[in-house]
Amino acid sequence: LGEHMHESFFEKVAGLKKSDSFVFNMDEVEKNLTQDDIKKYLLKINPDAAETPGNTFEGKILKVMRKQAATLSEEFYKKAFGPQSEVNSEEELRANIRTNLQSYFDVECIKLLDIELVKHMVKRAALNLPEAFLIKWLQQSYEEWRSKEGHELEHSMLHFKEGMAWNLIRDQIIVDHHIEVQVTDIIDLVISEMKNQYPGVQLPDESWQELAKRTLGNKEKATQYYVEEQNRKALEWIKQQIQIQEESISLDQFRDKVKALNEHHH
């Protein structure tokens, strides 16, 4: 756990035993977390909330767990990668992990590029959206918008207008260039996301298809994936019209880029 914690927090918990209590600063728990991440994942509150319950908390040790290196054996390989896995040695284990990590970061890099492209397209389009009308409509139509005011309202509106502008741009690209979304496209998207979420899981194609169709049986989920596929196809069209320059960076540099994007200073 030490590599994920801030040194100051690790020093506070190091050596404590079960039932011991300690005081800590929530901002110093885990590295690489933005303020929005802290609110969402640690404090379990809405990232857009202007107020927070403060930074100082009292913690209590409920359980002490220790990790130790597993013995590399056939039993371990089958347990880690499934009975159908072809991993039978440390070399194949390392190659498998390297392949899965490469696949994961390939997807994460595409996500980062897509977010940057959306922001660029919205900024370039410079659509003049009627903010006063939108605020009135949102506050009359949705309960969660009625209590928004000040910085929280301004922050939420910025994201709403960005999302609305991108939707208009995306829909125009789809219409102008006759882009269609087929059911098979959505099923492939669901399967791709599941495989990325659970790297190393080996299932027959029929099982992946069944899992995807079961997921799309939920109307809300189906709509979500339909819009996601529209976004993907519109962004793919944009990428075909531009020249993308690749840059090799370290993992820490990549994390800094993601952090800067998440903090989205306006």
PDB file of all heavy atoms in Angstrom, residues 4-27:
ATOM      1  N   HIS A   4       1.095   3.736  -2.946  1.00  0.00           N
ATOM      2  CA  HIS A   4      -0.097   4.506  -3.307  1.00  0.00           C
ATOM      3  C   HIS A   4      -0.414   5.597  -2.296  1.00  0.00           C
ATOM      4  O   HIS A   4      -1.192   6.495  -2.580  1.00  0.00           O
ATOM      5  CB  HIS A   4      -1.304   3.576  -3.447  1.00  0.00           C
ATOM      6  CG  HIS A   4      -1.119   2.495  -4.467  1.00  0.00           C
ATOM      7  ND1 HIS A   4      -1.043   2.762  -5.807  1.00  0.00           N
ATOM      8  CD2 HIS A   4      -0.972   1.154  -4.328  1.00  0.00           C
ATOM      9  CE1 HIS A   4      -0.866   1.624  -6.474  1.00  0.00           C
ATOM     10  NE2 HIS A   4      -0.818   0.641  -5.596  1.00  0.00           N
ATOM     11  N   MET A   5       0.148   5.519  -1.102  1.00  0.00           N
ATOM     12  CA  MET A   5      -0.139   6.485  -0.050  1.00  0.00           C
ATOM     13  C   MET A   5       0.865   7.629  -0.056  1.00  0.00           C
ATOM     14  O   MET A   5       2.010   7.466  -0.459  1.00  0.00           O
ATOM     15  CB  MET A   5      -0.053   5.815   1.330  1.00  0.00           C
ATOM     16  CG  MET A   5      -1.126   4.811   1.638  1.00  0.00           C
ATOM     17  SD  MET A   5      -0.862   4.144   3.302  1.00  0.00           S
ATOM     18  CE  MET A   5      -2.222   2.975   3.395  1.00  0.00           C
ATOM     19  N   HIS A   6       0.410   8.778   0.454  1.00  0.00           N
ATOM     20  CA  HIS A   6       1.348   9.843   0.765  1.00  0.00           C
ATOM     21  C   HIS A   6       2.218   9.384   1.937  1.00  0.00           C
ATOM     22  O   HIS A   6       1.752   8.656   2.826  1.00  0.00           O
ATOM     23  CB  HIS A   6       0.584  11.116   1.152  1.00  0.00           C
ATOM     24  CG  HIS A   6       0.088  11.890  -0.023  1.00  0.00           C
ATOM     25  ND1 HIS A   6       0.910  12.661  -0.812  1.00  0.00           N
ATOM     26  CD2 HIS A   6      -1.163  12.005  -0.557  1.00  0.00           C
ATOM     27  CE1 HIS A   6       0.204  13.227  -1.770  1.00  0.00           C
ATOM     28  NE2 HIS A   6      -1.055  12.841  -1.647  1.00  0.00           N
ATOM     29  N   GLU A   7       3.472   9.823   1.925  1.00  0.00           N
ATOM     30  CA  GLU A   7       4.393   9.398   2.971  1.00  0.00           C
ATOM     31  C   GLU A   7       3.884   9.766   4.364  1.00  0.00           C
ATOM     32  O   GLU A   7       4.005   8.982   5.308  1.00  0.00           O
ATOM     33  CB  GLU A   7       5.776  10.034   2.742  1.00  0.00           C
ATOM     34  CG  GLU A   7       6.554   9.464   1.559  1.00  0.00           C
ATOM     35  CD  GLU A   7       6.014   9.917   0.210  1.00  0.00           C
ATOM     36  OE1 GLU A   7       5.159  10.820   0.181  1.00  0.00           O
ATOM     37  OE2 GLU A   7       6.444   9.355  -0.827  1.00  0.00           O
ATOM     38  N   SER A   8       3.271  10.955   4.481  1.00  0.00           N
ATOM     39  CA  SER A   8       2.789  11.405   5.791  1.00  0.00           C
ATOM     40  C   SER A   8       1.686  10.494   6.327  1.00  0.00           C
ATOM     41  O   SER A   8       1.640  10.185   7.520  1.00  0.00           O
ATOM     42  CB  SER A   8       2.276  12.848   5.704  1.00  0.00           C
ATOM     43  OG  SER A   8       1.241  12.949   4.745  1.00  0.00           O
ATOM     44  N   PHE A   9       0.806  10.015   5.427  1.00  0.00           N
ATOM     45  CA  PHE A   9      -0.269   9.128   5.878  1.00  0.00           C
ATOM     46  C   PHE A   9       0.293   7.753   6.231  1.00  0.00           C
ATOM     47  O   PHE A   9      -0.112   7.128   7.219  1.00  0.00           O
ATOM     48  CB  PHE A   9      -1.333   9.000   4.784  1.00  0.00           C
ATOM     49  CG  PHE A   9      -2.520   8.164   5.206  1.00  0.00           C
ATOM     50  CD1 PHE A   9      -3.499   8.703   6.014  1.00  0.00           C
ATOM     51  CD2 PHE A   9      -2.653   6.842   4.790  1.00  0.00           C
ATOM     52  CE1 PHE A   9      -4.597   7.945   6.411  1.00  0.00           C
ATOM     53  CE2 PHE A   9      -3.734   6.079   5.181  1.00  0.00           C
ATOM     54  CZ  PHE A   9      -4.709   6.637   5.991  1.00  0.00           C
ATOM     55  N   PHE A  10       1.230   7.279   5.426  1.00  0.00           N
ATOM     56  CA  PHE A  10       1.829   5.968   5.692  1.00  0.00           C
ATOM     57  C   PHE A  10       2.531   5.964   7.055  1.00  0.00           C
ATOM     58  O   PHE A  10       2.467   4.994   7.808  1.00  0.00           O
ATOM     59  CB  PHE A  10       2.831   5.618   4.584  1.00  0.00           C
ATOM     60  CG  PHE A  10       3.415   4.242   4.711  1.00  0.00           C
ATOM     61  CD1 PHE A  10       2.644   3.121   4.438  1.00  0.00           C
ATOM     62  CD2 PHE A  10       4.725   4.059   5.109  1.00  0.00           C
ATOM     63  CE1 PHE A  10       3.180   1.845   4.559  1.00  0.00           C
ATOM     64  CE2 PHE A  10       5.266   2.792   5.230  1.00  0.00           C
ATOM     65  CZ  PHE A  10       4.488   1.681   4.955  1.00  0.00           C
ATOM     66  N   GLU A  11       3.182   7.086   7.371  1.00  0.00           N
ATOM     67  CA  GLU A  11       3.857   7.181   8.668  1.00  0.00           C
ATOM     68  C   GLU A  11       2.870   7.129   9.819  1.00  0.00           C
ATOM     69  O   GLU A  11       3.168   6.603  10.901  1.00  0.00           O
ATOM     70  CB  GLU A  11       4.673   8.478   8.727  1.00  0.00           C
ATOM     71  CG  GLU A  11       5.891   8.471   7.805  1.00  0.00           C
ATOM     72  CD  GLU A  11       6.583   9.819   7.749  1.00  0.00           C
ATOM     73  OE1 GLU A  11       6.089  10.755   8.427  1.00  0.00           O
ATOM     74  OE2 GLU A  11       7.593   9.938   7.035  1.00  0.00           O
ATOM     75  N   LYS A  12       1.650   7.687   9.598  1.00  0.00           N
ATOM     76  CA  LYS A  12       0.647   7.680  10.666  1.00  0.00           C
ATOM     77  C   LYS A  12       0.139   6.269  10.972  1.00  0.00           C
ATOM     78  O   LYS A  12      -0.114   5.916  12.129  1.00  0.00           O
ATOM     79  CB  LYS A  12      -0.552   8.560  10.270  1.00  0.00           C
ATOM     80  CG  LYS A  12      -0.293  10.053  10.371  1.00  0.00           C
ATOM     81  CD  LYS A  12      -1.539  10.823   9.986  1.00  0.00           C
ATOM     82  CE  LYS A  12      -1.305  12.321  10.094  1.00  0.00           C
ATOM     83  NZ  LYS A  12      -1.097  12.749  11.490  1.00  0.00           N
ATOM     84  N   VAL A  13      -0.036   5.431   9.945  1.00  0.00           N
ATOM     85  CA  VAL A  13      -0.635   4.115  10.153  1.00  0.00           C
ATOM     86  C   VAL A  13       0.407   3.020  10.375  1.00  0.00           C
ATOM     87  O   VAL A  13       0.079   1.945  10.893  1.00  0.00           O
ATOM     88  CB  VAL A  13      -1.546   3.724   8.967  1.00  0.00           C
ATOM     89  CG1 VAL A  13      -2.678   4.727   8.812  1.00  0.00           C
ATOM     90  CG2 VAL A  13      -0.759   3.629   7.665  1.00  0.00           C
ATOM     91  N   ALA A  14       1.657   3.303   9.977  1.00  0.00           N
ATOM     92  CA  ALA A  14       2.698   2.286  10.135  1.00  0.00           C
ATOM     93  C   ALA A  14       2.880   1.958  11.615  1.00  0.00           C
ATOM     94  O   ALA A  14       3.042   2.843  12.452  1.00  0.00           O
ATOM     95  CB  ALA A  14       4.008   2.777   9.529  1.00  0.00           C
ATOM     96  N   GLY A  15       2.820   0.681  11.941  1.00  0.00           N
ATOM     97  CA  GLY A  15       3.037   0.254  13.314  1.00  0.00           C
ATOM     98  C   GLY A  15       1.790   0.204  14.168  1.00  0.00           C
ATOM     99  O   GLY A  15       1.829  -0.308  15.297  1.00  0.00           O
ATOM    100  N   LEU A  16       0.663   0.740  13.660  1.00  0.00           N
ATOM    101  CA  LEU A  16      -0.578   0.681  14.444  1.00  0.00           C
ATOM    102  C   LEU A  16      -1.135  -0.726  14.440  1.00  0.00           C
ATOM    103  O   LEU A  16      -0.911  -1.502  13.512  1.00  0.00           O
ATOM    104  CB  LEU A  16      -1.614   1.652  13.874  1.00  0.00           C
ATOM    105  CG  LEU A  16      -1.280   3.149  13.946  1.00  0.00           C
ATOM    106  CD1 LEU A  16      -2.428   3.965  13.363  1.00  0.00           C
ATOM    107  CD2 LEU A  16      -0.980   3.584  15.374  1.00  0.00           C
ATOM    108  N   LYS A  17      -1.896  -1.054  15.472  1.00  0.00           N
ATOM    109  CA  LYS A  17      -2.509  -2.373  15.567  1.00  0.00           C
ATOM    110  C   LYS A  17      -4.021  -2.238  15.565  1.00  0.00           C
ATOM    111  O   LYS A  17      -4.570  -1.124  15.627  1.00  0.00           O
ATOM    112  CB  LYS A  17      -2.032  -3.086  16.830  1.00  0.00           C
ATOM    113  CG  LYS A  17      -2.334  -2.374  18.126  1.00  0.00           C
ATOM    114  CD  LYS A  17      -1.749  -3.137  19.301  1.00  0.00           C
ATOM    115  CE  LYS A  17      -2.073  -2.473  20.632  1.00  0.00           C
ATOM    116  NZ  LYS A  17      -1.527  -1.099  20.729  1.00  0.00           N
ATOM    117  N   LYS A  18      -4.710  -3.352  15.500  1.00  0.00           N
ATOM    118  CA  LYS A  18      -6.167  -3.379  15.444  1.00  0.00           C
ATOM    119  C   LYS A  18      -6.766  -2.610  16.614  1.00  0.00           C
ATOM    120  O   LYS A  18      -6.291  -2.722  17.739  1.00  0.00           O
ATOM    121  CB  LYS A  18      -6.656  -4.830  15.445  1.00  0.00           C
ATOM    122  CG  LYS A  18      -8.160  -4.973  15.249  1.00  0.00           C
ATOM    123  CD  LYS A  18      -8.553  -6.436  15.166  1.00  0.00           C
ATOM    124  CE  LYS A  18     -10.053  -6.590  14.979  1.00  0.00           C
ATOM    125  NZ  LYS A  18     -10.458  -8.015  14.910  1.00  0.00           N
ATOM    126  N   SER A  19      -7.801  -1.795  16.315  1.00  0.00           N
ATOM    127  CA  SER A  19      -8.548  -0.971  17.272  1.00  0.00           C
ATOM    128  C   SER A  19      -7.852   0.348  17.605  1.00  0.00           C
ATOM    129  O   SER A  19      -8.435   1.192  18.287  1.00  0.00           O
ATOM    130  CB  SER A  19      -8.845  -1.725  18.572  1.00  0.00           C
ATOM    131  OG  SER A  19      -9.652  -2.849  18.300  1.00  0.00           O
ATOM    132  N   ASP A  20      -6.622   0.588  17.115  1.00  0.00           N
ATOM    133  CA  ASP A  20      -5.966   1.871  17.332  1.00  0.00           C
ATOM    134  C   ASP A  20      -6.654   2.960  16.501  1.00  0.00           C
ATOM    135  O   ASP A  20      -7.153   2.708  15.397  1.00  0.00           O
ATOM    136  CB  ASP A  20      -4.492   1.800  16.922  1.00  0.00           C
ATOM    137  CG  ASP A  20      -3.645   1.072  17.950  1.00  0.00           C
ATOM    138  OD1 ASP A  20      -4.172   0.803  19.052  1.00  0.00           O
ATOM    139  OD2 ASP A  20      -2.470   0.773  17.657  1.00  0.00           O
ATOM    140  N   SER A  21      -6.683   4.198  17.045  1.00  0.00           N
ATOM    141  CA  SER A  21      -7.269   5.339  16.334  1.00  0.00           C
ATOM    142  C   SER A  21      -6.182   6.343  15.988  1.00  0.00           C
ATOM    143  O   SER A  21      -5.133   6.379  16.626  1.00  0.00           O
ATOM    144  CB  SER A  21      -8.343   6.006  17.202  1.00  0.00           C
ATOM    145  OG  SER A  21      -9.407   5.109  17.472  1.00  0.00           O
ATOM    146  N   PHE A  22      -6.440   7.169  14.971  1.00  0.00           N
ATOM    147  CA  PHE A  22      -5.476   8.189  14.559  1.00  0.00           C
ATOM    148  C   PHE A  22      -6.202   9.296  13.810  1.00  0.00           C
ATOM    149  O   PHE A  22      -7.295   9.096  13.268  1.00  0.00           O
ATOM    150  CB  PHE A  22      -4.382   7.588  13.679  1.00  0.00           C
ATOM    151  CG  PHE A  22      -4.895   7.006  12.380  1.00  0.00           C
ATOM    152  CD1 PHE A  22      -4.786   7.721  11.199  1.00  0.00           C
ATOM    153  CD2 PHE A  22      -5.489   5.748  12.345  1.00  0.00           C
ATOM    154  CE1 PHE A  22      -5.254   7.194  10.007  1.00  0.00           C
ATOM    155  CE2 PHE A  22      -5.956   5.212  11.154  1.00  0.00           C
ATOM    156  CZ  PHE A  22      -5.841   5.938   9.982  1.00  0.00           C
ATOM    157  N   VAL A  23      -5.627  10.490  13.797  1.00  0.00           N
ATOM    158  CA  VAL A  23      -6.188  11.648  13.101  1.00  0.00           C
ATOM    159  C   VAL A  23      -5.386  11.877  11.824  1.00  0.00           C
ATOM    160  O   VAL A  23      -4.158  11.784  11.836  1.00  0.00           O
ATOM    161  CB  VAL A  23      -6.143  12.906  14.000  1.00  0.00           C
ATOM    162  CG1 VAL A  23      -6.642  14.128  13.236  1.00  0.00           C
ATOM    163  CG2 VAL A  23      -6.982  12.691  15.261  1.00  0.00           C
ATOM    164  N   PHE A  24      -6.079  12.175  10.725  1.00  0.00           N
ATOM    165  CA  PHE A  24      -5.385  12.347   9.448  1.00  0.00           C
ATOM    166  C   PHE A  24      -6.074  13.389   8.583  1.00  0.00           C
ATOM    167  O   PHE A  24      -7.237  13.752   8.813  1.00  0.00           O
ATOM    168  CB  PHE A  24      -5.316  11.013   8.694  1.00  0.00           C
ATOM    169  CG  PHE A  24      -6.666  10.495   8.254  1.00  0.00           C
ATOM    170  CD1 PHE A  24      -7.137  10.735   6.972  1.00  0.00           C
ATOM    171  CD2 PHE A  24      -7.474   9.767   9.132  1.00  0.00           C
ATOM    172  CE1 PHE A  24      -8.373  10.261   6.557  1.00  0.00           C
ATOM    173  CE2 PHE A  24      -8.709   9.281   8.731  1.00  0.00           C
ATOM    174  CZ  PHE A  24      -9.161   9.534   7.444  1.00  0.00           C
ATOM    175  N   ASN A  25      -5.354  13.862   7.582  1.00  0.00           N
ATOM    176  CA  ASN A  25      -5.862  14.812   6.600  1.00  0.00           C
ATOM    177  C   ASN A  25      -6.299  14.030   5.363  1.00  0.00           C
ATOM    178  O   ASN A  25      -5.505  13.303   4.767  1.00  0.00           O
ATOM    179  CB  ASN A  25      -4.770  15.823   6.235  1.00  0.00           C
ATOM    180  CG  ASN A  25      -5.288  16.931   5.329  1.00  0.00           C
ATOM    181  OD1 ASN A  25      -6.077  16.698   4.430  1.00  0.00           O
ATOM    182  ND2 ASN A  25      -4.832  18.148   5.577  1.00  0.00           N
ATOM    183  N   MET A  26      -7.552  14.183   4.954  1.00  0.00           N
ATOM    184  CA  MET A  26      -8.089  13.418   3.828  1.00  0.00           C
ATOM    185  C   MET A  26      -7.331  13.695   2.525  1.00  0.00           C
ATOM    186  O   MET A  26      -7.216  12.821   1.664  1.00  0.00           O
ATOM    187  CB  MET A  26      -9.573  13.733   3.641  1.00  0.00           C
ATOM    188  CG  MET A  26     -10.264  12.920   2.552  1.00  0.00           C
ATOM    189  SD  MET A  26     -10.245  11.131   2.876  1.00  0.00           S
ATOM    190  CE  MET A  26     -11.535  11.022   4.138  1.00  0.00           C
ATOM    191  N   ASP A  27      -6.775  14.903   2.391  1.00  0.00           N
ATOM    192  CA  ASP A  27      -6.032  15.243   1.167  1.00  0.00           C
ATOM    193  C   ASP A  27      -4.710  14.490   1.070  1.00  0.00           C
ATOM    194  O   ASP A  27      -4.076  14.488   0.019  1.00  0.00           O
ATOM    195  CB  ASP A  27      -5.745  16.745   1.123  1.00  0.00           C
ATOM    196  CG  ASP A  27      -7.008  17.561   0.919  1.00  0.00           C
ATOM    197  OD1 ASP A  27      -8.019  16.978   0.473  1.00  0.00           O
ATOM    198  OD2 ASP A  27      -6.993  18.775   1.200  1.00  0.00           O
TER     199      ASP A  27
END
